[in-house]
Amino acid sequence: VNMPIHKPFTLSSEDLEECIKTSRLRKIPVWKYKRAKILLLLHEGKTYQEIELELDTNSHTISQWKSRYLKEGLEGLK
């Protein structure tokens, strides 16, 4: 049985920097941290399952922010 192959996900260098900066901030809302971290982990090639465990989230949420980013860029995460 073949598992579906996910298309590689990459952030532009500017967006990557922005997500890293956001994920290191201490005083930001949890939602903002999680959205930046989801994109970073996808960029690193982590599976949905790995991201779900690390961020205590679900695949629907990961998929939602991934597609929002692909459509609207970082602006779509607000």
Coordinates of all heavy atoms in Angstrom, one line a residue:
V1 N 0.9 -1.2 0.0 CA 0.0 0.0 0.0 C 0.9 1.2 0.0 O 1.7 1.4 0.9 CB -0.9 0.0 1.3 CG1 -1.8 1.2 1.2 CG2 -1.7 -1.2 1.3
N2 N 0.7 2.1 -1.0 CA 1.5 3.3 -1.0 C 0.8 4.4 -0.2 O -0.4 4.7 -0.3 CB 1.6 3.8 -2.5 CG 2.6 3.0 -3.2 OD1 3.4 2.2 -2.7 ND2 2.6 3.1 -4.6
M3 N 1.6 5.1 0.6 CA 1.2 6.2 1.4 C 1.2 7.4 0.5 O 2.1 7.5 -0.4 CB 2.1 6.5 2.6 CG 2.0 5.4 3.7 SD 0.4 5.4 4.5 CE 0.5 6.9 5.5
P4 N 0.2 8.4 0.6 CA 0.3 9.5 -0.2 C 1.6 10.4 0.1 O 1.9 10.5 1.2 CB -1.0 10.3 0.1 CG -1.4 9.8 1.4 CD -0.9 8.4 1.5
I5 N 2.2 10.8 -0.9 CA 3.4 11.7 -0.7 C 2.9 13.1 -0.6 O 2.2 13.6 -1.5 CB 4.4 11.5 -1.9 CG1 4.7 10.1 -2.2 CG2 5.6 12.4 -1.7 CD1 5.7 9.4 -1.3
H6 N 3.3 13.8 0.4 CA 3.0 15.2 0.5 C 3.9 16.0 -0.3 O 5.1 15.7 -0.3 CB 3.0 15.7 2.0 CG 2.0 15.0 2.8 ND1 0.7 15.3 2.7 CD2 2.1 14.0 3.8 CE1 0.0 14.5 3.6 NE2 0.8 13.8 4.2
K7 N 3.4 17.0 -0.9 CA 4.3 17.9 -1.7 C 5.2 18.6 -0.7 O 4.8 19.0 0.3 CB 3.4 19.0 -2.4 CG 2.6 18.4 -3.6 CD 2.0 19.5 -4.3 CE 0.8 19.0 -5.2 NZ -0.5 19.5 -4.7
P8 N 6.5 18.8 -1.1 CA 7.4 19.5 -0.3 C 6.8 20.9 0.0 O 6.3 21.5 -0.9 CB 8.7 19.6 -1.1 CG 8.6 18.6 -2.2 CD 7.1 18.4 -2.4
F9 N 7.0 21.4 1.2 CA 6.5 22.7 1.6 C 7.7 23.5 2.0 O 8.5 23.1 2.8 CB 5.5 22.5 2.8 CG 5.1 23.8 3.4 CD1 3.9 24.5 2.8 CD2 5.7 24.5 4.4 CE1 3.5 25.7 3.3 CE2 5.3 25.7 4.9 CZ 4.2 26.3 4.4
T10 N 7.8 24.7 1.3 CA 8.9 25.5 1.7 C 8.4 27.0 1.9 O 7.6 27.4 1.1 CB 10.1 25.5 0.7 OG1 9.5 25.7 -0.6 CG2 10.9 24.2 0.7
L11 N 9.0 27.6 2.8 CA 8.7 29.0 3.1 C 9.8 29.8 2.3 O 10.9 29.4 2.2 CB 8.9 29.3 4.6 CG 7.9 28.7 5.5 CD1 8.4 28.7 6.9 CD2 6.5 29.4 5.4
S12 N 9.4 31.0 1.9 CA 10.4 31.9 1.3 C 11.3 32.3 2.4 O 11.0 32.2 3.6 CB 9.7 33.2 0.7 OG 9.2 34.0 1.8
S13 N 12.5 32.8 2.0 CA 13.5 33.1 3.1 C 13.0 34.2 4.0 O 13.2 34.2 5.2 CB 14.8 33.5 2.5 OG 14.7 34.5 1.5
E14 N 12.2 35.2 3.5 CA 11.7 36.2 4.4 C 10.7 35.7 5.3 O 10.7 36.0 6.5 CB 11.0 37.4 3.5 CG 11.9 38.1 2.6 CD 11.9 37.4 1.2 OE1 10.9 36.9 0.7 OE2 13.0 37.3 0.6
D15 N 9.8 34.8 4.8 CA 8.7 34.2 5.6 C 9.3 33.3 6.7 O 8.9 33.2 7.8 CB 7.7 33.5 4.8 CG 6.8 34.5 4.0 OD1 6.9 35.7 4.2 OD2 6.0 34.0 3.2
L16 N 10.4 32.6 6.3 CA 11.1 31.7 7.2 C 11.7 32.5 8.4 O 11.4 32.1 9.5 CB 12.2 30.9 6.5 CG 13.0 30.0 7.3 CD1 12.2 28.9 7.9 CD2 14.1 29.3 6.4
E17 N 12.3 33.6 8.0 CA 12.9 34.4 9.1 C 11.8 34.9 10.0 O 12.0 35.0 11.2 CB 13.6 35.6 8.5 CG 15.1 35.4 8.2 CD 15.7 36.7 7.6 OE1 15.6 37.8 8.2 OE2 16.4 36.5 6.5
E18 N 10.7 35.4 9.4 CA 9.6 35.9 10.2 C 9.0 34.9 11.1 O 8.7 35.1 12.3 CB 8.5 36.5 9.3 CG 7.4 37.3 9.9 CD 8.0 38.5 10.7 OE1 8.9 39.2 10.2 OE2 7.5 38.7 11.8
C19 N 8.8 33.7 10.6 CA 8.3 32.6 11.5 C 9.2 32.2 12.6 O 8.8 31.9 13.7 CB 8.0 31.3 10.6 SG 6.5 31.5 9.6
I20 N 10.5 32.2 12.3 CA 11.5 31.9 13.3 C 11.5 33.0 14.4 O 11.4 32.6 15.6 CB 12.9 31.8 12.7 CG1 13.0 30.5 11.9 CG2 14.0 31.7 13.8 CD1 14.3 30.4 11.1
K21 N 11.4 34.2 14.0 CA 11.4 35.3 14.9 C 10.1 35.2 15.8 O 10.2 35.3 17.0 CB 11.3 36.6 14.1 CG 12.0 37.8 14.8 CD 11.9 39.1 14.1 CE 12.3 39.1 12.7 NZ 12.0 40.3 11.9
T22 N 9.0 35.0 15.2 CA 7.7 34.8 15.9 C 7.7 33.7 16.9 O 7.3 33.8 18.0 CB 6.5 34.6 14.9 OG1 6.5 35.8 14.0 CG2 5.2 34.5 15.6
S23 N 8.3 32.6 16.5 CA 8.3 31.4 17.4 C 9.2 31.6 18.5 O 9.1 30.8 19.5 CB 8.6 30.1 16.6 OG 10.0 30.1 16.2
R24 N 10.1 32.5 18.5 CA 11.1 32.8 19.6 C 10.6 33.8 20.6 O 11.1 34.0 21.6 CB 12.4 33.2 19.1 CG 13.1 32.0 18.4 CD 14.5 32.4 18.0 NE 15.2 31.3 17.4 CZ 16.2 31.4 16.5 NH1 16.6 32.5 16.1 NH2 16.7 30.3 16.0
L25 N 9.5 34.6 20.2 CA 9.0 35.6 21.0 C 8.4 35.0 22.3 O 7.8 33.9 22.2 CB 8.0 36.5 20.3 CG 8.5 37.3 19.2 CD1 7.3 37.9 18.4 CD2 9.4 38.4 19.7
R26 N 8.5 35.6 23.4 CA 7.9 35.1 24.6 C 6.5 35.6 24.9 O 5.7 34.8 25.4 CB 8.8 35.4 25.8 CG 10.2 34.7 25.8 CD 9.9 33.2 26.2 NE 11.0 32.4 25.7 CZ 10.9 31.5 24.7 NH1 9.8 31.3 24.0 NH2 11.9 30.8 24.3
K27 N 6.3 36.8 24.6 CA 5.0 37.4 25.0 C 4.1 37.6 23.8 O 3.7 38.7 23.4 CB 5.2 38.7 25.7 CG 5.9 38.5 27.0 CD 6.1 39.8 27.8 CE 6.7 39.6 29.1 NZ 6.9 40.8 29.9
I28 N 3.7 36.4 23.2 CA 2.7 36.5 22.1 C 1.6 35.5 22.4 O 1.8 34.6 23.1 CB 3.4 36.2 20.7 CG1 4.0 34.8 20.7 CG2 4.4 37.2 20.3 CD1 4.3 34.3 19.3
P29 N 0.4 35.7 21.8 CA -0.7 34.8 21.9 C -0.3 33.4 21.5 O 0.5 33.3 20.5 CB -1.8 35.4 21.1 CG -1.4 36.8 20.8 CD 0.1 36.8 20.9
V30 N -0.8 32.4 22.1 CA -0.5 31.0 21.8 C -0.9 30.7 20.3 O -0.1 30.0 19.6 CB -1.2 30.0 22.7 CG1 -1.1 28.6 22.2 CG2 -0.7 30.2 24.1
W31 N -2.0 31.2 19.8 CA -2.4 30.9 18.5 C -1.4 31.4 17.5 O -1.1 30.8 16.5 CB -3.8 31.5 18.2 CG -3.9 33.0 18.2 CD1 -4.3 33.8 19.3 CD2 -3.5 34.0 17.2 NE1 -4.2 35.1 19.0 CE2 -3.8 35.3 17.8 CE3 -3.1 33.9 15.9 CZ2 -3.5 36.5 17.0 CZ3 -2.8 35.1 15.2 CH2 -3.1 36.3 15.8
K32 N -0.8 32.6 17.8 CA 0.2 33.2 16.8 C 1.5 32.3 16.8 O 2.0 32.0 15.8 CB 0.5 34.6 17.3 CG 1.2 35.4 16.2 CD 1.3 36.8 16.7 CE 1.9 37.7 15.5 NZ 2.0 39.1 15.9
Y33 N 1.9 31.8 18.0 CA 3.0 31.0 18.1 C 2.8 29.7 17.3 O 3.6 29.2 16.6 CB 3.3 30.6 19.6 CG 4.3 29.5 19.8 CD1 5.7 29.8 19.7 CD2 3.9 28.2 20.0 CE1 6.6 28.8 19.8 CE2 4.8 27.2 20.2 CZ 6.2 27.5 20.1 OH 7.1 26.5 20.2
K34 N 1.6 29.0 17.6 CA 1.3 27.7 17.0 C 1.3 27.8 15.4 O 1.8 27.0 14.7 CB 0.0 27.2 17.5 CG 0.2 26.3 18.7 CD -1.1 25.5 19.0 CE -0.8 24.6 20.2 NZ -2.0 23.8 20.6
R35 N 0.7 28.9 14.9 CA 0.6 29.0 13.5 C 2.0 29.2 12.8 O 2.3 28.5 11.8 CB -0.3 30.2 13.1 CG -1.7 30.0 13.4 CD -2.6 31.2 13.3 NE -3.9 30.9 13.9 CZ -4.8 31.8 14.0 NH1 -4.7 33.0 13.5 NH2 -6.0 31.5 14.6
A36 N 2.8 30.0 13.4 CA 4.2 30.1 12.9 C 5.0 28.8 13.0 O 5.7 28.4 12.1 CB 4.9 31.2 13.7
K37 N 4.8 28.1 14.2 CA 5.5 26.9 14.4 C 5.0 25.8 13.4 O 5.8 25.0 13.0 CB 5.2 26.5 15.9 CG 6.2 25.5 16.4 CD 7.6 26.1 16.6 CE 8.5 25.1 17.2 NZ 9.9 25.3 16.8
I38 N 3.7 25.7 13.1 CA 3.2 24.8 12.2 C 3.9 24.9 10.8 O 4.4 24.0 10.2 CB 1.7 24.9 11.9 CG1 0.9 24.3 13.1 CG2 1.2 24.2 10.6 CD1 -0.6 24.6 13.2
L39 N 4.0 26.2 10.4 CA 4.7 26.4 9.1 C 6.2 26.1 9.1 O 6.7 25.5 8.2 CB 4.6 27.9 8.7 CG 3.1 28.4 8.4 CD1 3.1 29.8 7.9 CD2 2.5 27.5 7.3
L40 N 6.8 26.4 10.3 CA 8.3 26.0 10.4 C 8.5 24.5 10.4 O 9.4 24.0 9.7 CB 8.8 26.5 11.8 CG 9.2 28.0 11.8 CD1 9.6 28.4 13.3 CD2 10.3 28.3 10.9
L41 N 7.6 23.8 11.1 CA 7.8 22.3 11.1 C 7.5 21.7 9.8 O 8.1 20.8 9.3 CB 6.9 21.7 12.2 CG 7.3 22.1 13.7 CD1 6.2 21.7 14.7 CD2 8.6 21.5 14.0
L42 N 6.5 22.2 9.0 CA 6.2 21.8 7.7 C 7.4 22.0 6.8 O 7.8 21.2 6.0 CB 5.0 22.5 7.1 CG 3.6 22.0 7.6 CD1 2.5 23.0 7.2 CD2 3.3 20.6 7.2
H43 N 8.0 23.2 7.0 CA 9.2 23.6 6.2 C 10.3 22.7 6.5 O 11.1 22.3 5.6 CB 9.6 25.0 6.5 CG 10.8 25.6 5.8 ND1 10.7 26.1 4.5 CD2 12.1 25.7 6.2 CE1 11.9 26.4 4.2 NE2 12.8 26.2 5.2
E44 N 10.4 22.2 7.7 CA 11.5 21.2 8.1 C 11.2 19.8 7.6 O 12.1 18.9 7.8 CB 11.7 21.2 9.6 CG 12.3 22.5 10.2 CD 12.2 22.5 11.7 OE1 11.9 21.5 12.3 OE2 12.4 23.6 12.3
G45 N 10.1 19.6 7.0 CA 9.7 18.3 6.5 C 9.1 17.3 7.5 O 9.0 16.2 7.2
K46 N 8.6 17.9 8.6 CA 8.0 17.0 9.6 C 6.6 16.6 9.0 O 6.0 17.2 8.2 CB 7.7 17.8 10.9 CG 8.9 18.4 11.5 CD 9.5 17.3 12.5 CE 10.5 18.0 13.4 NZ 11.8 17.5 13.3
T47 N 6.2 15.4 9.5 CA 4.9 14.8 9.1 C 3.8 15.5 9.9 O 4.1 16.0 11.0 CB 4.8 13.3 9.3 OG1 4.9 13.1 10.7 CG2 5.9 12.6 8.5
Y48 N 2.6 15.4 9.4 CA 1.4 15.9 10.2 C 1.4 15.3 11.6 O 1.2 15.9 12.5 CB 0.1 15.6 9.4 CG -0.2 16.7 8.4 CD1 0.7 17.3 7.7 CD2 -1.6 17.0 8.2 CE1 0.4 18.3 6.7 CE2 -1.9 17.9 7.2 CZ -1.0 18.6 6.5 OH -1.3 19.5 5.6
Q49 N 1.7 14.0 11.6 CA 1.7 13.2 12.9 C 2.7 13.8 13.9 O 2.4 14.0 15.0 CB 1.9 11.7 12.6 CG 1.5 10.9 13.8 CD 1.7 9.4 13.5 OE1 2.3 9.0 12.5 NE2 1.1 8.6 14.4
E50 N 3.9 14.1 13.4 CA 4.9 14.6 14.2 C 4.5 16.0 14.7 O 4.7 16.3 15.9 CB 6.2 14.7 13.5 CG 6.9 13.4 13.2 CD 8.1 13.5 12.2 OE1 8.0 14.2 11.2 OE2 9.1 12.8 12.5
I51 N 3.9 16.8 13.9 CA 3.5 18.2 14.2 C 2.4 18.1 15.2 O 2.3 18.9 16.2 CB 3.1 19.0 13.0 CG1 4.3 19.1 12.1 CG2 2.5 20.4 13.4 CD1 4.0 19.7 10.7
E52 N 1.4 17.2 15.0 CA 0.3 17.0 15.9 C 0.8 16.7 17.3 O 0.3 17.3 18.3 CB -0.6 15.9 15.5 CG -1.5 16.2 14.3 CD -2.2 14.9 13.7 OE1 -2.5 14.0 14.5 OE2 -2.4 14.9 12.5
L53 N 1.8 15.8 17.5 CA 2.3 15.5 18.8 C 3.1 16.6 19.4 O 2.9 17.0 20.6 CB 3.3 14.3 18.6 CG 2.6 12.9 18.3 CD1 3.6 11.9 18.0 CD2 1.7 12.5 19.5
E54 N 3.9 17.3 18.6 CA 4.7 18.4 19.1 C 3.9 19.6 19.6 O 4.2 20.2 20.6 CB 5.8 18.8 18.1 CG 6.7 19.9 18.7 CD 7.9 20.1 17.8 OE1 8.4 19.2 17.1 OE2 8.5 21.3 17.9
L55 N 2.9 19.9 18.8 CA 2.1 21.1 19.1 C 0.7 20.8 19.8 O 0.0 21.8 20.0 CB 1.9 22.0 17.9 CG 3.2 22.5 17.2 CD1 2.9 23.3 16.0 CD2 4.0 23.4 18.2
D56 N 0.4 19.6 20.0 CA -0.9 19.2 20.6 C -2.0 19.8 19.7 O -2.8 20.6 20.2 CB -1.0 19.7 22.1 CG -2.2 19.1 22.7 OD1 -2.7 18.0 22.3 OD2 -2.8 19.7 23.6
T57 N -2.0 19.5 18.5 CA -3.0 20.0 17.5 C -3.5 18.9 16.7 O -3.2 17.7 17.0 CB -2.4 21.1 16.7 OG1 -3.4 21.8 15.9 CG2 -1.3 20.7 15.8
N58 N -4.2 19.1 15.6 CA -4.8 18.1 14.8 C -4.5 18.4 13.3 O -4.1 19.5 13.0 CB -6.2 17.8 15.1 CG -7.1 19.1 14.8 OD1 -7.0 19.6 13.7 ND2 -7.8 19.5 15.8
S59 N -4.7 17.3 12.5 CA -4.3 17.5 11.1 C -5.2 18.5 10.4 O -4.7 19.2 9.5 CB -4.4 16.1 10.4 OG -5.7 15.6 10.5
H60 N -6.4 18.7 10.8 CA -7.3 19.7 10.2 C -6.7 21.1 10.4 O -6.7 21.9 9.5 CB -8.7 19.6 10.8 CG -9.6 20.7 10.4 ND1 -10.2 20.8 9.1 CD2 -10.0 21.9 11.0 CE1 -10.9 21.9 9.0 NE2 -10.7 22.6 10.1
T61 N -6.3 21.3 11.6 CA -5.7 22.6 11.9 C -4.4 22.9 11.1 O -4.2 24.0 10.5 CB -5.4 22.7 13.4 OG1 -6.6 22.5 14.1 CG2 -4.8 24.1 13.8
I62 N -3.6 21.9 11.0 CA -2.3 22.0 10.2 C -2.6 22.3 8.8 O -2.1 23.2 8.2 CB -1.5 20.7 10.4 CG1 -1.1 20.5 11.8 CG2 -0.3 20.8 9.4 CD1 -0.5 19.1 12.1
S63 N -3.6 21.5 8.2 CA -4.0 21.7 6.8 C -4.6 23.0 6.6 O -4.3 23.7 5.6 CB -5.0 20.5 6.5 OG -5.5 20.7 5.2
Q64 N -5.4 23.5 7.5 CA -6.0 24.8 7.4 C -5.0 25.9 7.3 O -5.1 26.8 6.4 CB -6.9 25.0 8.6 CG -7.6 26.4 8.7 CD -8.3 26.7 10.0 OE1 -8.2 25.9 10.9 NE2 -9.0 27.8 10.1
W65 N -4.0 25.9 8.2 CA -3.0 27.0 8.1 C -2.0 26.9 7.0 O -1.6 27.9 6.5 CB -2.3 27.1 9.5 CG -3.3 27.6 10.5 CD1 -3.8 26.8 11.6 CD2 -4.1 28.8 10.5 NE1 -4.8 27.5 12.3 CE2 -5.0 28.7 11.6 CE3 -4.1 29.9 9.7 CZ2 -5.9 29.8 11.9 CZ3 -5.0 30.9 10.0 CH2 -5.8 30.8 11.1
K66 N -1.8 25.7 6.6 CA -0.9 25.4 5.4 C -1.6 26.0 4.2 O -1.0 26.8 3.5 CB -0.7 23.9 5.3 CG 0.2 23.6 4.1 CD 0.4 22.1 3.9 CE 1.2 21.7 2.7 NZ 1.4 20.3 2.6
S67 N -2.9 25.7 4.0 CA -3.5 26.2 2.8 C -3.8 27.7 2.8 O -3.6 28.4 1.8 CB -4.8 25.4 2.4 OG -5.6 25.2 3.5
R68 N -4.0 28.2 4.0 CA -4.2 29.6 4.2 C -2.9 30.4 3.8 O -2.9 31.4 3.1 CB -4.6 30.0 5.6 CG -5.1 31.4 5.9 CD -6.5 31.7 5.6 NE -7.5 31.1 6.4 CZ -7.9 31.6 7.6 NH1 -7.3 32.7 8.1 NH2 -8.9 31.1 8.3
Y69 N -1.8 29.8 4.3 CA -0.5 30.4 4.0 C -0.2 30.4 2.4 O 0.2 31.3 1.9 CB 0.7 29.7 4.7 CG 2.0 30.2 4.2 CD1 2.5 31.4 4.6 CD2 2.7 29.4 3.3 CE1 3.8 31.8 4.1 CE2 4.0 29.9 2.8 CZ 4.5 31.1 3.2 OH 5.7 31.5 2.7
L70 N -0.5 29.2 1.8 CA -0.3 29.1 0.4 C -1.1 30.0 -0.4 O -0.7 30.5 -1.5 CB -0.5 27.6 -0.1 CG 0.5 26.6 0.5 CD1 0.1 25.2 0.2 CD2 1.9 26.9 -0.1
K71 N -2.3 30.4 0.1 CA -3.2 31.3 -0.7 C -2.8 32.7 -0.4 O -2.8 33.6 -1.3 CB -4.7 31.1 -0.2 CG -5.3 29.9 -0.9 CD -6.8 29.9 -0.6 CE -7.4 28.6 -0.9 NZ -7.9 27.9 0.3
E72 N -2.6 33.1 0.9 CA -2.5 34.5 1.3 C -1.1 34.9 1.9 O -0.9 36.0 2.3 CB -3.6 34.8 2.3 CG -5.0 34.5 1.8 CD -6.0 34.6 2.9 OE1 -5.8 35.5 3.8 OE2 -6.9 33.8 2.9
G73 N -0.2 33.9 2.0 CA 1.1 34.3 2.6 C 0.9 34.5 4.1 O -0.1 34.1 4.7
L74 N 1.9 35.1 4.8 CA 1.8 35.3 6.2 C 0.6 36.1 6.7 O 0.1 36.0 7.8 CB 3.1 35.9 6.8 CG 4.3 35.0 6.7 CD1 5.6 35.8 7.2 CD2 4.1 33.7 7.5
E75 N 0.1 37.0 5.8 CA -1.0 37.8 6.1 C -2.3 36.9 6.4 O -3.1 37.3 7.2 CB -1.4 38.7 4.9 CG -0.5 39.9 4.9 CD -0.6 40.8 6.1 OE1 -1.8 41.2 6.5 OE2 0.4 41.1 6.7
G76 N -2.3 35.7 5.8 CA -3.4 34.8 6.0 C -3.4 34.2 7.4 O -4.4 33.5 7.7
L77 N -2.4 34.3 8.1 CA -2.3 33.7 9.4 C -3.0 34.5 10.5 O -3.1 34.1 11.7 CB -0.9 33.4 9.9 CG -0.1 32.5 8.9 CD1 1.3 32.2 9.5 CD2 -0.8 31.2 8.6
K78 N -3.4 35.7 10.2 CA -4.0 36.6 11.2 C -5.4 36.3 11.5 O -6.1 35.7 10.7 CB -3.9 38.0 10.8 CG -2.4 38.4 10.8 CD -2.2 39.9 10.4 CE -0.8 40.2 10.5 NZ -0.3 41.1 9.5

